[in-house]
Amino acid sequence: MRTITTTDALAEFCTRARAHPYVTVDTEFLRERTYYSKLCLVQLAMPGTEDDTAVLVDPLAKGLSLEPLYALFRDTSVVKVFHAARQDLEIFYVDAQVFPEPLFDTQVAAMVCGFGEQVGYETLVRKIAKQPLDKTSRFTDWSRRPLTDAQKTYAIADVTHLRQIYEFLAAKLADSGRARWVSEELQILLSPDTYIIDPEHAWKRVKTRTNSARFLAVVKELAAFREAHAQSRNVPRNRVFKDDALVELASNKPKSYEDLGRSRLLLREARKGDIADGILAAVKRGVEMDPDTMPRPDRSREKLQVNPALADLLRVLLKAKTESAGVAAKLIASAADLDALAAGVRDVPALKGWRSEVFGTDALRLCDGQVALTAKGADVQIIPLD
């Protein structure tokens, strides 16, 4: 199989690919020791069965630029096909602020087409392409060169089988009229906000069990420092300090290096130097924060007066509707969304876009007492009420 190591060779392949209706794309990367993913390999395939229709691209090759690939991504006449695209798209957006458009994600499409929730690529290869898939090379070190034959075989399979999967799912969506559903779902993947982590909002990812605004103020400042430090040094945030250490620091509010030395959970490297200075400064900012600007946890859902009987009926309706439509229930509404509906909240995703067609309209009718549910054999039916 061919491995591209020069910009000219990549440009030649991308030029040929632009003559086709779609190209399949996948990546291999490492992230265990860095904040941002390290791109190690790009796999590309265009329609066809010839040997030169699928290639590996080595982004670690000296002098190779991915700009020809990004030009292909910008060409809206060619559909770019991925499976579970989020991490791949993050790599390309961070590197070049580019998104592949139009985008097709076979995992999302498969959920819409009735293949279950978060269906894996291996499952689709087995069910659609009717082929086995060897995953033994999945967790190898993709940054080492040369790549082994086993790694190359594994990597190229991630885009060659994807051609058949895409064609099958695209046809199924066209027949069912659900292509628009997938397009709606993919909009979040094409938003920069999906991939940009603002240090000022990093505290919302930290799990705490307190309503204390002062405590949360310290958590906010510590999380902001950790995120900014990790981004600037390109190291995992947990290498700065872990969440449990962050919560401990917010509780103890250290004022000196000596106080940091008493921490049970703080890494030794974080008790001195830039990290220690950053921790102490962050704690001081949190302690001294103006009460009017302190963060407050979102407790709105906790105060909801959920009607448990109605919530149960909504679960029955969701199960019936998604089984009938052949759509993964998780794609329509979460348990929290159903509880919110049963408490009178109307700003939930299940009531918008294509979800409203499948479930939301009848869910509102059920909440408003306009319909009832009845069981007939294994089926659940909706009965209009006068």
Side-chain angles (χ1 to χ4, degrees):
M1 63 199 73
R2 182 184 175 198
T3 300
I4 289 176
T5 58
T6 68
T7 305
D8 287 345
L10 177 59
E12 184 273 334
F13 179 87
C14 291
T15 297
R16 288 196 295 123
R18 292 167 85 162
H20 294 277
Y22 72 85
V23 59
T24 56
V25 188
D26 191 36
T27 69
E28 305 300 338
F29 56 87
L30 297 178
R31 199 171 191 169
E32 290 80 8
R33 297 184 293 275
T34 57
Y35 183 91
Y36 300 105
S37 296
K38 179 181 179 180
L39 181 61
C40 299
L41 195 68
V42 181
Q43 303 99 280
L44 302 169
M46 64 182 87
T49 57
E50 297 82 4
D51 290 342
D52 64 348
T53 58
V55 297
L56 305 177
V57 181
D58 187 355
L60 303 184
K62 185 176 181 180
L64 184 142
S65 168
L66 291 178
E67 185 51 41
L69 177 62
Y70 296 148
L72 176 61
F73 282 177
R74 297 184 187 100
D75 186 342
T76 56
S77 70
V78 183
V79 177
K80 272 65 72 172
V81 182
F82 292 75
H83 180 82
R86 190 192 184 287
Q87 289 184 299
D88 302 314
L89 299 191
E90 180 180 11
I91 292 171
F92 297 130
Y93 181 76
V94 169
D95 183 53
Q97 291 74 57
V98 63
F99 287 118
E101 297 189 71
L103 170 70
F104 190 96
D105 189 321
T106 55
Q107 185 177 72
V108 175
M111 292 172 72
V112 169
C113 291
F115 282 85
E117 299 176 358
Q118 302 295 321
V119 60
Y121 181 66
E122 184 178 6
T123 299
L124 295 182
V125 171
R126 186 175 66 253
K127 290 186 175 181
I128 296 175
K130 309 299 182 183
Q131 296 289 331
L133 193 64
D134 183 3
K135 304 293 285 186
T136 56
S137 295
R138 182 179 182 183
F139 296 109
T140 57
D141 185 349
W142 292 99
S143 67
R144 296 188 65 180
R145 294 295 183 268
L147 295 173
T148 66
D149 289 344
Q151 285 178 305
K152 292 179 181 181
T153 299
Y154 163 86
I156 207 72
D158 279 348
V159 287
T160 52
H161 296 312
L162 194 55
R163 295 179 293 199
Q164 187 175 350
I165 292 169
Y166 164 68
E167 292 175 3
F168 176 89
L169 292 175
K172 195 172 180 65
L173 290 171
D175 290 343
S176 63
R178 296 180 180 181
R180 175 177 56 84
W181 297 9
V182 175
S183 295
E184 287 183 24
E185 288 304 295
L186 295 181
Q187 290 312 300
I188 190 170
L189 291 178
L190 297 173
S191 169
D193 292 340
T194 302
Y195 309 101
I196 297 173
I197 300 179
D198 185 346
E200 288 301 306
H201 299 299
W203 69 276
K204 297 176 182 178
R205 302 161 61 102
V206 180
K207 294 181 180 180
T208 62
R209 297 182 178 180
T210 180
N211 293 325
S212 167
R214 182 68 63 189
F215 179 87
L216 291 176
V218 180
V219 168
K220 178 181 180 180
E221 293 298 330
L222 284 168
F225 161 71
R226 179 178 67 173
E227 203 72 27
H229 186 90
Q231 290 176 354
S232 65
R233 305 300 198 281
N234 194 24
V235 297
R237 65 177 64 88
N238 284 347
R239 288 277 296 274
V240 185
F241 47 83
K242 297 182 180 180
D243 280 3
D244 55 359
L246 189 154
V247 173
E248 180 192 47
L249 291 167
S251 299
N252 296 339
K253 302 177 181 60
K255 297 179 180 179
S256 65
Y257 296 129
E258 185 178 356
D259 291 340
L260 290 179
R262 298 190 185 100
S263 170
R264 294 185 304 108
L265 303 174
L266 196 62
L267 297 172
R268 182 176 292 105
E269 294 79 5
R271 303 182 189 198
K272 58 185 177 181
D274 292 344
I275 297 179
D277 292 338
I279 290 173
L280 296 175
V283 170
K284 187 174 186 295
R285 288 194 300 272
V287 169
E288 296 176 354
M289 187 179 293
D290 186 329
D292 292 337
T293 62
M294 288 180 181
R296 299 291 192 281
D298 182 6
R299 304 294 185 187
S300 57
R301 290 290 177 99
E302 296 180 3
K303 299 177 182 178
L304 294 179
Q305 300 298 311
V306 179
N307 181 329
L310 179 56
D312 288 341
L313 287 174
L314 286 169
R315 285 169 170 77
V316 173
L317 177 65
L318 177 64
K319 187 174 188 297
K321 283 289 188 176
T322 53
E323 287 182 352
S324 174
V327 181
K330 185 178 180 180
L331 200 57
I332 302 288
S334 66
D337 289 338
L338 297 179
D339 287 342
L341 278 172
V345 176
R346 296 297 177 258
D347 184 22
V348 295
L351 301 182
K352 301 174 183 178
W354 69 271
R355 291 177 174 83
S356 179
E357 301 173 28
V358 178
F359 170 73
T361 299
D362 284 330
L364 281 180
R365 293 170 66 201
L366 181 64
C367 291
D368 294 341
Q370 298 175 5
V371 298
L373 302 180
T374 184
K376 186 175 182 180
D379 297 327
V380 173
Q381 299 179 348
I382 298 174
I383 306 298
L385 300 177
D386 295 331

